[in-house]
Amino acid sequence: MRALLSVSDRTGLVAFARGLRGLGWELIATDGTRAELAADGISARSVEDVTGQPALLGGRVKTLHPKIHAALLARRDDPTHTDELAREGIEPIDMVVVNLYPFAESAATGKSGTMLLEQIDIGGVTLLRAGAKNHDHVVVVSRPERYGAVLDELKQRGEVSLETRRILAAEAFSHTAAYDAAIASRFAGEAGLQFPDEMALSLRKVRDLRYGENPHQQAAFYAVRGEEGAMTAMQQIHGKATSFNNMLDINAAWRIATDFPQPTVAIIKHQNPSGVASDNEITKAYRRAFMCDSVSAFGGIVGANRIVGRELAEAMEGTFYAPIIAQGYEDEALPILRQRRNLEIIAVPGSAIVGGKLVRRDGAAFDFKRVAGGMLVQTPDESAADEGSFKVVTERSPTLEELTDLLFAWRCVKHVTSNAIVLAKGLATVGLGPGQTSRVVAVETAVRKAGENARLAVMASDAYFPFPDGIEVAARAGVTAIIQPGGSIRDAMMIDTANKNRMAMLFTGRRHFKH
């Protein structure tokens, strides 16, 4: 039995090769892999020795040879194939062990041009595809973590089962597909093709989740290769494994909290905030976010864009939360938080504060939404409109205090499911109306949640008001200023309604629907 080894990731290579040799396998290896083995006293034939042909083009052409690929692709149960091998003096290769040049990793380190092109593997991809195609007769191993299982089967059974070979072949095809997807994405980006005719997504499994949206559904979390983000970088310090729903809410909590430069806390339920607040101190921000809707906060997810200290950990006592996600945790805070057996404590290490704001690394990533038979792809709703272009359309301009709250509310409302209304006062939400099919009902919901706190609050709407009823409801509740995109054919009616109620109103010219 013969195995061909050609690996870039040499994790576990020596032990695996030694195990194969111990079982009587003959080893063939490309130069770098062969040198690694030789350093540990394991001999292997060179590819040149098998092919009788030296490597060409500085090593670009090594394994692309009939004596390699015929040895991999020949069906052992087809007499014409075996006769041809015998005629050409070719011995079959029964196992191919390959992982590919680290293209994505090289791109992530900033390599480009010729240096990056040299990280595009040609021979390795071809070896994997050939071995996987002929998996009835060839074992193809593309992941170092499979070495142990393959050796165990060989020791116990004397061969690798067809079932295992099928799994390994599927992994090999997934490996080459993901590799090509990373290359295609890089080339499309460099060519300025934002939405190419064909788009390949490469996903890497991070972990299984406890269950899906409901307990009877299964779920897993995958990372998009080539993208960075808090959900893939996060570290769980304490608590049970996250569920599908919690991952969605953890993501929402982090995205909202990190959208603000000041110390900010967001409390999330079902991907909508129950409260958001900014303050000069993170514990004060938490308390004000909690007061927005202390009932809905129960069972929610807390997101904080600063280090969590003892004071904040103690402030959270008395309310049940599922996870908390933050930049990090002080040593004095963790014992308090760990007293909650099921609290998922999540940290996002390596988060940097630049210009007073926590930097998110996923700002340019596409937004994907699944539909039957396809995928909707859009650029993210990240770029904030130039606040200098916002237009006061009413007779009264907002006061400085109102303007500060309007800008805060406008940043909040893009994170709320449409139709969305946010009431805010003193850099804290006081009432939210998420996910309503009617805008006036969204206003009524926000006003009801705010109660007396609606007086002297400001209001943000994610889209224009089609009728004046929503503005009238807000005015009766004591709201003094409004920020909205504008753009309705009845804008003049909205402005007139605001003027009659001595309200200031800004048009932003940009909508913030969220579905």
Side-chain angles (χ1 to χ4, degrees):
M1 305 296 283
R2 300 202 305 167
L4 172 60
L5 296 84
S6 179
V7 298
S8 291
D9 179 357
R10 290 165 187 165
T11 304
L13 170 67
V14 170
F16 185 53
R18 185 172 284 118
L20 290 175
R21 286 299 303 271
L23 294 171
W25 283 65
E26 179 187 355
L27 305 183
I28 306 163
T30 50
D31 291 345
T33 303
R34 187 164 170 255
E36 182 84 3
L37 296 176
D40 276 271
I42 302 170
S43 63
R45 291 181 67 186
S46 69
V47 170
E48 290 85 349
D49 185 48
V50 173
T51 63
Q53 173 72 50
L56 300 175
L57 307 179
R60 281 192 170 195
V61 180
K62 296 189 288 280
T63 58
L64 296 171
H65 193 281
K67 288 191 175 181
I68 297 295
H69 285 281
L72 286 171
L73 288 166
R75 293 191 60 87
R76 282 46 161 182
D77 56 0
D78 187 332
T80 60
H81 284 201
T82 55
D83 288 348
E84 284 186 46
L85 290 186
R87 188 182 68 237
E88 299 296 329
I90 299 173
E91 295 182 56
I93 295 175
D94 307 285
M95 180 185 294
V96 59
V97 182
V98 172
N99 51 67
L100 306 173
Y101 295 165
F103 177 86
E105 293 81 358
S106 297
T109 62
K111 285 186 179 178
S112 60
T114 302
M115 292 182 68
L116 188 56
L117 286 175
E118 290 305 315
Q119 295 301 313
I120 298 177
D121 204 322
I122 304 299
V125 171
T126 312
L127 290 171
L128 286 175
R129 289 178 63 83
K133 178 177 180 177
N134 202 26
H135 67 271
D136 279 350
H137 307 283
V138 177
V139 180
V140 55
V141 186
S142 59
R143 297 169 58 185
E145 54 264 41
R146 296 299 187 204
Y147 294 165
V150 170
L151 277 179
D152 287 345
E153 280 205 38
L154 288 172
K155 291 174 182 177
Q156 294 167 13
R157 303 167 52 112
E159 64 177 3
V160 176
S161 68
L162 179 59
E163 180 184 4
T164 299
R165 279 182 272 135
R166 284 174 177 160
I167 292 171
L168 294 173
E171 289 180 350
F173 281 126
S174 294
H175 187 47
T176 60
Y179 192 75
D180 285 340
I183 296 169
S185 176
R186 174 72 181 215
F187 272 60
E190 290 184 348
L193 299 174
Q194 187 173 51
F195 297 106
D197 290 340
E198 293 184 306
M199 180 181 290
L201 270 182
S202 172
L203 305 178
R204 173 183 55 83
K205 187 175 179 180
V206 177
R207 62 182 172 275
D208 290 318
L209 301 177
R210 289 207 316 272
Y211 50 81
E213 225 163 351
N214 299 288
H216 65 274
Q217 294 173 268
Q218 296 177 327
F221 174 48
Y222 286 81
V224 179
R225 291 186 187 272
E227 291 185 7
E228 293 184 288
M231 295 302 98
T232 54
M234 72 182 196
Q235 295 178 358
Q236 185 163 353
I237 299 171
H238 176 75
K240 57 188 177 182
T242 53
S243 67
F244 185 94
N245 293 338
N246 280 1
M247 285 294 292
L248 289 172
D249 286 347
I250 291 167
N251 181 63
W254 183 251
R255 291 180 70 85
I256 296 174
T258 55
D259 204 15
F260 293 85
Q262 309 99 318
T264 300
V265 168
I267 304 173
I268 304 299
K269 287 286 287 288
H270 301 298
Q271 296 192 73
N272 276 303
S274 66
V276 183
S278 297
D279 211 301
N280 59 5
E281 201 277 319
I282 197 69
T283 303
K284 293 179 181 177
Y286 164 75
R287 289 194 173 103
R288 300 182 69 217
F290 175 76
M291 290 306 298
C292 175
D293 189 345
S294 58
V295 174
S296 295
F298 179 86
I301 282 77
V302 177
N305 68 354
R306 294 294 191 273
I307 300 291
V308 173
R310 180 187 183 92
E311 187 180 4
L312 176 51
E314 290 175 340
M316 292 171 57
E317 291 182 327
T319 302
F320 169 71
Y321 292 112
I324 177 173
I325 182 169
Q327 185 185 9
Y329 301 85
E330 293 179 357
D331 290 342
E332 290 184 343
L334 284 173
I336 299 169
L337 294 172
R338 282 196 174 109
Q339 291 175 12
R340 304 173 181 222
R341 184 168 56 88
N342 292 325
L343 178 65
E344 299 159 25
I345 305 174
I346 310 292
V348 184
S351 303
I353 296 178
V354 177
K357 183 177 179 182
L358 200 63
V359 177
R360 266 211 333 257
R361 294 175 287 183
D362 60 345
F366 277 130
D367 181 20
F368 296 94
K369 284 187 170 59
R370 190 81 164 88
V371 295
M375 191 87 74
L376 299 173
V377 183
Q378 66 175 350
T379 56
D381 186 12
E382 289 290 351
S383 56
D386 180 9
E387 294 170 357
S389 68
F390 292 178
K391 184 179 179 182
V392 178
V393 294
T394 47
E395 294 169 355
R396 184 174 78 80
S397 294
T399 65
L400 179 59
E401 185 177 5
E402 287 173 330
L403 180 60
T404 302
D405 282 339
L406 286 168
L407 297 180
F408 170 85
W410 183 242
R411 194 171 287 273
C412 285
V413 80
K414 79 172 188 179
H415 296 286
V416 182
T417 305
S418 301
N419 289 315
I421 293 293
V422 169
L423 301 185
K425 182 163 55 178
L427 297 184
T429 58
V430 294
L432 295 112
Q436 301 299 318
T437 54
S438 165
R439 192 154 300 276
V440 66
V441 173
V443 176
E444 290 169 346
T445 302
V447 165
R448 176 173 55 82
K449 290 279 189 179
E452 287 300 314
N453 286 322
R455 297 197 62 79
L456 304 180
V458 304
M459 178 170 70
S461 174
D462 65 337
Y464 65 68
F465 286 93
F467 303 101
D469 48 3
I471 297 175
E472 290 167 348
V473 169
R476 287 195 295 272
V479 171
T480 62
I482 300 170
I483 187 167
Q484 59 138 319
S488 168
I489 59 173
R490 300 183 183 87
D491 273 350
M493 188 183 299
M494 309 307 130
I495 295 169
D496 184 57
T497 302
N499 283 331
K500 287 179 180 177
N501 289 280
R502 292 296 298 152
M503 303 170 86
M505 187 160 66
L506 270 64
F507 281 1
T508 67
R510 174 169 292 189
R511 191 179 72 186
H512 277 313
F513 269 170
K514 180 176 181 287
H515 293 93

